[in-house]
Amino acid sequence: MKRFENLQQFINTHFNEQPTSLNVVTGDASFRRYYRLNSRGEHFIVMDSDPNKVNNAPYISLNKVFTEQGFLLPKIIVSDELQGFFILSDLGSTHLADMLGDINRTEHYKELINLSVQWAKTPASDAMQAYNEDFIKLELDIFSQWLVTGFINESLSADQKIMWQTSSELLIEAMLAQPTVTVHRDYHSRNIMNSNGQWAIIDYQDAVRGPLCYDLVSLLRDCYFKLPDAELTSLLGFAYKEFTDQDLIIDTSFNEFKYYFDLTGLQRHLKAAGIFCRLYLRDGKAGYLDNILPTLNYIIEVAANYSELTALSEWIKNIIVPKVIDKLAKEHA
């Protein structure tokens, strides 16, 4: 309660009169809270990002980096870094997720693939971590820790431990083999907005220097929306041509590119499924529980296409998914 009073005081300090309204905006998966503020007919976004819970330095420094590269991001109008309060420009409330029923959906995706190419070419910044072997492994451990052990209380047999180890090594190898570019890390339908006809990017603060295909996977194999197979295949071909034309990939066949795309997706979806469980178990956020099974289904489908990952696919399909279904049934009861 004290923090909200401090937030109101911060807001009042920067406006000549009391704002006419301050309404909660649906929160994201982080510890940040957002409000839409209306003052004298103008709209702003207020971000409450407690520095005791969140490191705000990347948000601030990368805002400058990406804005200077010409990307449309929320503008930081004023901030109190000590308290973690920010007043941002309001980019509206239309996300890509709200436009997925459009007849122009494929064109939207093509525009966003082109935008991701430009994002990938953003020069490295000190605020961007290296998405290295240790980082990738740490993310894979989120799946084993929070979903396998934490959510369904499953123990791995000796053979399953070997399978998990060899599968993880293969995914890490595929990710490190790709060209290293600037990666958003959450380039999906809920973090891409359409503001007055322009594409805008939010939640950019976790950007890293990492594998070329990562943002493409986030976009085309979105945990919150499944593209039809034919549309996905077409867009993947479009992306391959764009990446080739922009010299992001050189001397790489489409099959190699598809292999990188698929295995990067497996790592991302294993991590995401674990995060959905962590949000529930650690943070008390149940809103992501329904995204666990669709995310696991991506893993089952894709891993089944590669002989060296068949065991991973079968383990998740026959062991993990039934126990997740049982657990979800109990939580929803």
Side-chain angles (χ1 to χ4, degrees):
M1 194 66 180
K2 175 67 173 171
R3 183 161 182 83
F4 186 68
E5 290 174 6
N6 291 343
L7 176 65
Q8 289 180 308
Q9 186 176 10
F10 163 74
I11 292 168
N12 293 339
T13 300
H14 298 285
F15 290 90
N16 293 326
E17 61 179 48
Q18 189 82 11
T20 55
S21 66
L22 184 66
N23 300 308
V24 176
V25 177
T26 303
D28 62 8
S30 75
F31 290 109
R32 294 180 172 89
R33 295 178 183 173
Y34 296 90
Y35 304 85
R36 177 164 276 111
L37 182 151
N38 184 5
S39 177
R40 301 177 68 178
E42 289 189 272
H43 296 279
F44 303 90
I45 295 295
V46 177
M47 182 172 75
D48 174 359
S49 186
D50 188 343
N52 293 316
K53 297 179 179 178
V54 180
N55 177 13
N56 291 314
Y59 185 91
I60 297 165
S61 59
L62 288 174
N63 187 283
K64 185 173 186 291
V65 168
F66 291 121
T67 299
E68 287 178 350
Q69 291 296 311
F71 296 100
L72 179 58
L73 273 63
K75 180 182 177 182
I76 301 174
I77 297 169
V78 67
S79 64
D80 181 333
E81 294 176 35
L82 193 63
Q83 295 193 88
F85 298 144
F86 298 79
I87 295 175
L88 311 171
S89 59
D90 187 353
L91 297 173
S93 56
T94 303
H95 296 74
L96 173 62
D98 303 311
M99 305 171 67
L100 294 175
D102 289 5
I103 58 172
N104 295 322
R105 182 176 68 202
T106 299
E107 292 307 311
H108 296 333
Y109 275 103
K110 287 181 177 179
E111 290 173 5
L112 291 166
I113 288 169
N114 285 331
L115 191 65
S116 78
V117 168
Q118 300 311 311
W119 189 277
K121 295 170 94 171
T122 300
S125 159
D126 290 341
M128 300 175 193
Q129 283 186 268
Y131 206 22
N132 55 24
E133 180 175 350
D134 289 341
F135 200 154
I136 298 168
K137 186 180 183 305
L138 190 69
E139 291 193 333
L140 286 166
D141 288 344
I142 294 172
F143 178 81
S144 53
Q145 178 184 353
W146 290 98
L147 190 151
V148 179
T149 303
F151 193 65
I152 61 172
N153 194 26
E154 174 74 3
S155 298
L156 273 65
S157 67
D159 286 345
Q160 288 168 344
K161 286 178 181 177
I162 293 170
M163 175 276 299
W164 176 250
Q165 178 68 23
T166 55
S167 298
S168 296
E169 288 172 357
L170 191 65
L171 301 185
I172 292 169
E173 181 184 330
M175 293 176 77
L176 295 178
Q178 299 169 51
T180 299
V181 299
T182 294
V183 176
H184 180 284
R185 279 184 75 211
D186 273 319
Y187 193 71
H188 57 68
S189 59
R190 296 184 182 179
N191 282 341
I192 300 168
M193 302 186 69
N194 194 278
S195 182
N196 297 318
Q198 277 188 281
W199 294 113
I201 309 297
I202 60 175
D203 276 2
Y204 53 82
Q205 64 277 349
D206 293 324
V208 295
R209 294 289 293 175
L212 176 72
C213 287
Y214 198 95
D215 282 349
L216 189 64
V217 165
S218 303
L219 180 68
L220 299 185
R221 284 208 175 110
D222 193 333
C223 293
Y224 310 113
F225 178 77
K226 192 175 192 300
L227 279 167
D229 289 345
E231 190 173 356
L232 172 61
T233 300
S234 173
L235 287 167
L236 200 55
F238 176 84
Y240 174 72
K241 183 177 186 305
E242 290 302 306
F243 285 12
T244 303
D245 289 349
Q246 293 293 323
D247 295 326
L248 287 174
I249 49 175
I250 300 169
D251 296 329
T252 303
S253 69
F254 178 76
N255 285 340
E256 288 176 292
F257 176 70
K258 176 72 159 50
Y259 176 80
Y260 291 148
F261 175 83
D262 282 346
L263 269 66
T264 301
L266 290 176
Q267 188 272 353
R268 172 172 166 74
H269 291 122
L270 286 163
K271 176 195 75 169
I275 286 176
F276 295 147
C277 294
R278 186 175 71 185
L279 285 166
Y280 176 66
L281 295 172
R282 188 191 70 183
D283 305 332
K285 296 182 178 181
Y288 296 87
L289 288 177
D290 289 341
N291 300 117
I292 297 172
L293 287 174
T295 303
L296 292 177
N297 285 332
Y298 273 138
I299 299 164
I300 294 166
E301 292 172 16
V302 173
N305 294 326
Y306 298 94
S307 58
E308 59 270 46
L309 292 166
T310 302
L312 175 67
S313 177
E314 291 298 313
W315 175 60
I316 292 178
K317 179 181 178 181
N318 298 322
I319 304 296
I320 301 300
V321 164
K323 294 192 175 185
V324 169
I325 290 172
D326 287 346
K327 178 69 173 178
L328 289 172
K330 291 175 184 175
E331 297 304 325
H332 289 317

